Amino acid sequence: MADQLIDETDREILELLREDARRTLGDIGSRVTLSTAAVKRRIDRMQENGVIVGYTVQIDHAKLGWGIEAFTELRFTGTTKVGEIVRTTTRMPEAQAVFTIAGDPDALVWLRVRDMGHLQRTIDEIRRHHQVTGTKTLMVLDSWTRGQQWPHPRECLGRLEPS
């Protein structure tokens, strides 16, 4: 379905926007050899089709005093509904994301806190929830994130060929 929504030029436009969402339409057009109007039409179409769902800013949280990251595995009673699992932490400002998981554990929560005492208080707050039966916290030492880049179709074919 996604391949029907976008083509290689759209992928290039998305990559340029991912690198810098404030990039001008003229700059994008010069890089993908399209007019400004053509770039605008493509971006508008991708927004209408739900391929582009928003724009954001990247923040250095450490400079704001929230430099410690951790992931906490959560285990719940067997009767807990998935929606309730998500609601357990989404009201907490420390929770950056909640991932429900099939299997053990039931959820993984990405936390961002100011210091170790703040992390302890946050974990204590999570544990007070009556359906949480256990937690395990993993500290982040460093991180790397893959951008939303798509391989060129020729690259994919090259990977499939025997060496």
Side-chain angles (χ1 to χ4, degrees), residues 8-161:
E8 186 61 30
T9 302
D10 292 334
R11 285 184 176 89
E12 290 177 40
I13 291 169
L14 289 171
E15 178 58 23
L16 290 168
L17 288 171
R18 190 196 60 77
E19 289 171 1
D20 182 0
R22 293 175 37 165
R23 194 180 298 268
T24 67
L25 298 175
D27 179 57
I28 295 169
S30 69
R31 293 171 186 261
V32 299
T33 62
L34 289 175
S35 70
T36 299
V39 170
K40 180 169 181 358
R41 282 191 302 272
R42 283 174 175 262
I43 290 173
D44 288 346
R45 178 180 41 80
M46 287 189 282
Q47 287 175 326
E48 289 168 12
N49 290 336
V51 173
I52 296 175
V53 295
Y55 297 87
T56 187
V57 63
Q58 294 179 1
I59 298 169
D60 184 339
H61 293 279
K63 289 185 178 173
L64 298 176
W66 290 67
I68 296 177
E69 293 178 271
F71 287 89
T72 298
E73 297 177 355
L74 301 180
R75 287 163 184 78
F76 288 80
T77 60
T79 59
T80 308
K81 294 183 176 169
V82 173
E84 183 62 25
I85 290 172
V86 172
R87 282 188 295 278
T88 299
T89 56
T90 54
R91 293 182 188 100
M92 302 173 70
E94 297 85 359
Q96 304 301 297
V98 179
F99 306 90
T100 54
I101 301 170
D104 184 37
D106 297 304
L108 185 64
V109 181
W110 171 26
L111 298 170
R112 188 180 303 280
V113 295
R114 295 181 182 277
D115 54 40
M116 296 307 290
H118 187 189
L119 177 61
Q120 181 178 342
R121 290 186 302 277
T122 301
I123 299 302
D124 286 345
E125 183 179 341
I126 291 170
R127 288 179 175 169
R128 279 194 293 273
H129 189 278
H130 67 278
Q131 291 178 308
V132 173
T133 61
T135 64
K136 175 182 171 184
T137 301
L138 308 155
M139 298 297 303
V140 174
L141 299 177
D142 195 6
S143 63
W144 173 85
T145 303
R146 179 179 308 281
Q148 293 184 8
Q149 301 174 15
W150 295 272
H152 191 278
R154 285 188 296 260
E155 293 174 27
C156 294
L157 290 175
R159 290 186 210 143
L160 298 175
E161 295 173 3

